[in-house]
Amino acid sequence: DTEVTQTPKHLVMGMTNKKSLKCEQHMGHRAMYWYKQKAKKPPELMFVYSYEKLSINESVPSRFSPECPNSSLLNLHLHALQPEDSALYLCASSPGGQNNEQYFGPGTRLTVT
Amino acid sequence: AQKITQTQPGMFVQEKEAVTLDCTYDTSDPSYGLFWYKQPSSGEMIFLIYQGSYDQQNATEGRYSLNFQKARKSANLVISASQLGDSAMYFCAMRPRTGANSKLTFGKGITLSVRP
């Protein structure tokens, strides 16, 4: 089973709202990732968690706050977003740390109004 | 630093024919992995195939094969017997195989359209 699940599939939020994106995998993978992807562009790495610890933050604005409650779960908390933050947010995981292929979830399409 | 280059404009192929999607890369790392992902309009990034820089043979996965030419720094994806469901955006990516914080670097992608 190479499945990464993400909820919700779609999210519309105002600039003053607080919302969270959820990502889950039950493959025993120890690295999990958040990416942001604009239309027709490649994914841009935001955060990496390795063995439940934040290992990479790609200078992401503090209005995005990641959380890894356990090895299967990754959240992205959103607060005071801007319209330019509208994008597809992809979660991924990889086995045995970071030196393996990444498996992606279906993404959350976020619209900030 | 790593760089992936995908320069083909939108590609078109007739159903049941083979198609090659080009990818060249640049890196100073001695050991690295190369990946291809497919992204349909639904948005999910689907892992297709992996090639390690020290692998002696070209990777194959069903209808997908990777034409790896290390000296030319190219890792082209070959899709045989194209199907309508192959219509999607395809990304080539690479990462060094050493370093706890090695990142996956993506090319800009190629759009493939399969014609019936």
Side-chain angles (χ1 to χ4, degrees), chain A residues 4 33 35 37 40-43 45 50 55-56 58 88 90 94 98-106 109, chain B residues 35 37 39 41-45 47 50 89 91 95-104 106-108 111:
Chain A
V4 176
Y33 312 76
Y35 288 86
Q37 187 181 26
K40 303 293 186 187
K41 298 289 186 183
L45 183 65
S50 181
S55 62
I56 295 178
E58 289 288 286
L88 179 68
L90 291 162
S94 64
Q98 297 181 49
N99 293 322
N100 296 94
E101 61 269 21
Q102 294 178 20
Y103 294 92
F104 284 79
R109 289 195 186 273
Chain B
F35 308 81
Y37 286 88
Q39 189 174 38
S41 56
S42 58
E44 184 173 2
M45 293 279 284
F47 166 69
Y50 165 80
M89 194 144 189
F91 291 96
R95 71 190 309 180
R97 284 194 57 80
T98 54
N101 290 329
S102 61
K103 295 187 284 190
L104 194 59
F106 287 90
K108 67 176 187 180
T111 300

Side-chain angles (χ1 to χ4, degrees), chain B residues 49-91:
Chain B
I49 196 167
Y50 165 80
Q51 178 84 45
S53 59
Y54 285 106
D55 292 344
Q56 294 297 314
Q57 294 194 320
N58 287 346
T60 60
E61 288 287 347
R63 294 186 300 111
Y64 304 107
S65 60
L66 203 152
N67 183 2
F68 179 48
Q69 297 186 49
K70 192 172 182 178
R72 296 182 61 190
K73 295 189 174 180
S74 73
N76 298 340
L77 177 71
V78 181
I79 305 174
S80 63
S82 297
Q83 301 171 357
L84 296 178
D86 294 335
S87 295
M89 194 144 189
Y90 288 80
F91 291 96

Side-chain angles (χ1 to χ4, degrees), chain A residues 30-113:
Chain A
R30 303 316 301 265
M32 295 185 76
Y33 312 76
W34 279 116
Y35 288 86
K36 173 183 176 181
Q37 187 181 26
K38 291 285 202 178
K40 303 293 186 187
K41 298 289 186 183
E44 299 171 19
L45 183 65
M46 299 174 72
F47 302 104
V48 180
Y49 274 82
S50 181
Y51 294 88
E52 301 165 47
K53 291 194 171 9
L54 182 66
S55 62
I56 295 178
N57 176 341
E58 289 288 286
S59 302
V60 179
S62 60
R63 57 185 184 268
F64 296 92
S65 174
E67 178 196 19
C68 188
N70 59 59
S71 61
S72 300
L73 196 55
L74 185 66
N75 298 321
L76 186 63
H77 303 297
L78 314 172
H79 177 232
L81 294 194
Q82 304 297 310
E84 58 265 28
D85 296 323
S86 298
L88 179 68
Y89 287 83
L90 291 162
C91 173
S93 69
S94 64
Q98 297 181 49
N99 293 322
N100 296 94
E101 61 269 21
Q102 294 178 20
Y103 294 92
F104 284 79
T108 294
R109 289 195 186 273
L110 174 68
T111 304
V112 181
T113 60

